Amino acid sequence: MVTRNITITDPVGIHARPAAQFAQAVAASGCNVTIAKEGGAAVPAGSILSIMGLGVQQGDTVQITIEGDNAETVADSLTETLLAAE
């Protein structure tokens, strides 16, 4: 299991497009991935609605947890996806 804490830099937080990109990357990874807003409950990261339901704003920190084969590589890739999303 690998965990990463990521501070969201996008001025509008995690909105529909980045949530969709992230959920697609999660599905393609084949790993079990959850995402949680700092201090909140974890939700399945493969669900766009669950991700958007977190209400992540710019400056918020999210924690992603990855379980499965190549979890470290998947964590790096998913971190890049969240930070590059606009």
Side-chain angles (χ1 to χ4, degrees):
M1 178 168 56
V2 176
T3 301
R4 297 281 165 82
N5 293 313
I6 305 157
T7 301
I8 303 303
T9 57
D10 190 313
V12 292
I14 299 179
H15 53 91
R17 187 177 307 123
Q21 291 170 341
F22 187 71
Q24 288 172 348
V26 167
S29 75
C31 291
N32 182 22
V33 183
T34 60
I35 184 169
K37 190 172 174 181
E38 190 172 47
V43 298
S47 167
I48 298 167
L49 293 176
S50 293
I51 295 169
M52 291 184 63
L54 294 173
V56 178
Q57 302 290 322
Q58 181 183 31
D60 287 345
T61 299
V62 295
Q63 182 178 70
I64 59 172
T65 304
I66 302 93
E67 295 181 24
D69 294 336
N70 301 316
E72 195 69 42
T73 303
V74 171
D76 292 340
S77 176
L78 293 176
T79 298
E80 283 182 32
T81 300
L82 273 182
L83 293 176
E86 294 184 4

